[in-house]
Amino acid sequence: MTVRFLPKVLAAGVLAFTMASCDEPPLYDVPDDMVVLNMMDEDHGCTLMGETDIHITRDMNFISEQYRFIEVPKAQSLGHVEENEPNLSTLTDKAAVEQYSGYLAIRNGDVVRFPSGKVAVILDRPYYRMWVDDFIKDSAKKIVGAIVNFAQFMPDGNGLPNMYTEVGSVSPDKNLLVSVPTKECEAMFAEPDAAYFECITVNSGKKSTDFEVRLRPGALQQMPPEMQSGTFRLYVRHARACTILNFQLCPA
């Protein structure tokens, strides 16, 4: 069976606006819902960033139990944070608050690491860009917080199929061919599906990538009967985004 696809935010309210002067960096590709927030550290009010638990510690680090961070030093503005496509594999659980530095904040569990070692954000999972404009100081000139610009973004699928698109079925005597209209894609299975299926790249052309989904030898004998009637998922990555495709099993 062959399946072919046709090619195909959230802010808590603006707390402060700043007027741009001629010598300030341009706001490139900044959404209308960008928030400018005075974030006080944990000893001076512990301001949370929007609807998240992201806050600043007393030693001036961004930290969160829900999110991890990627640091982008010396970004021109919020709109420039991703212009050089920061490496998602550098995710860390905290990030130093630095003036004019940018950050990505991605929720735990919203990234997938592929066999190549490359990391991608799941296509329907929003994340944040952040940018530190300036520090906030008290009357004694001690830093007690930072002025942070932030907004929510969605991963760029670059032609990847929509999440949870149904791509057909595989059986013991018939493999499933999936053609994705994007070059240089990578596919994988997560557990427990990886124990029963394998995915082979059969073509990687200039405009598309073709994958063949196969049952592993002896998979039907090892797979629990109740699992055989369920839905299985193939993860497909292009650049820094990935989608999840659904398929079925025909045991006979």
Side-chain angles (χ1 to χ4, degrees):
M1 177 176 183
T2 301
V3 180
R4 295 192 177 275
F5 297 100
L6 293 177
K8 15 186 311 160
V9 257
L10 172 76
V14 175
L15 302 184
F17 290 99
T18 56
M19 297 297 291
S21 65
C22 293
D23 57 351
E24 289 180 340
L27 292 176
Y28 170 78
D29 190 27
V30 172
D32 294 336
D33 60 353
M34 183 186 81
V35 178
V36 181
L37 176 64
N38 291 342
M39 289 187 69
M40 308 304 293
D41 70 22
E42 60 187 346
D43 289 338
H44 298 84
C46 195
T47 310
L48 300 182
M49 196 187 84
E51 302 282 329
T52 76
D53 70 337
I54 297 171
H55 60 281
I56 298 175
T57 63
R58 62 178 56 89
D59 54 353
M60 294 304 291
N61 287 303
F62 288 115
I63 197 166
S64 166
E65 292 186 1
Q66 300 173 352
Y67 290 81
R68 290 188 289 166
F69 305 95
I70 295 169
E71 299 182 61
V72 185
K74 303 303 179 185
Q76 279 191 288
S77 69
L78 184 71
H80 289 81
V81 169
E82 289 191 86
E83 66 179 346
N84 293 321
E85 299 186 349
N87 186 351
L88 298 188
S89 65
T90 62
L91 278 167
T92 181
D93 58 358
K94 66 179 180 180
V97 180
E98 300 285 352
Q99 187 178 19
Y100 305 141
S101 283
Y103 308 83
L104 300 183
I106 303 173
R107 187 181 291 272
N108 298 332
D110 286 355
V111 295
V112 179
R113 185 177 296 275
F114 282 75
S116 65
K118 294 184 178 179
V119 176
V121 183
I122 299 174
L123 200 56
D124 65 348
R125 311 293 168 84
Y127 63 94
Y128 287 94
R129 287 184 195 170
M130 304 159 56
W131 185 73
V132 175
D133 187 5
D134 203 351
F135 291 116
I136 300 171
K137 299 179 181 179
D138 63 12
S139 58
K141 304 300 182 182
K142 178 184 177 182
I143 295 176
V144 295
I147 301 172
V148 178
N149 299 355
F150 71 93
Q152 202 171 53
F153 291 78
M154 297 296 293
D156 183 356
N158 290 305
L160 287 174
N162 290 335
M163 287 284 289
Y164 309 120
T165 297
E166 296 287 344
V167 297
S169 62
V170 63
S171 68
D173 58 359
K174 193 172 184 180
N175 298 331
L176 171 63
L177 185 64
V178 180
S179 182
V180 178
T182 306
K183 65 179 182 178
E184 298 176 354
C185 290
E186 181 180 10
M188 61 168 274
F189 293 105
E191 295 295 344
D193 297 355
Y196 307 108
F197 300 95
E198 60 182 345
C199 184
I200 307 298
T201 302
V202 295
N203 177 58
S204 183
K206 293 182 178 180
K207 296 183 178 180
S208 65
T209 310
D210 298 333
F211 301 103
E212 189 171 76
V213 176
R214 308 170 182 172
L215 272 168
R216 293 187 183 276
L220 280 182
Q221 291 71 36
Q222 302 167 15
M223 188 184 299
E226 63 274 13
M227 187 177 177
Q228 296 182 15
S229 59
T231 296
F232 302 93
R233 293 180 173 180
L234 176 67
Y235 290 74
V236 178
R237 179 192 67 80
H238 173 69
R240 300 187 304 146
C242 79
T243 190
I244 302 174
L245 307 179
N246 290 345
F247 69 96
Q248 311 299 319
L249 171 63
C250 293

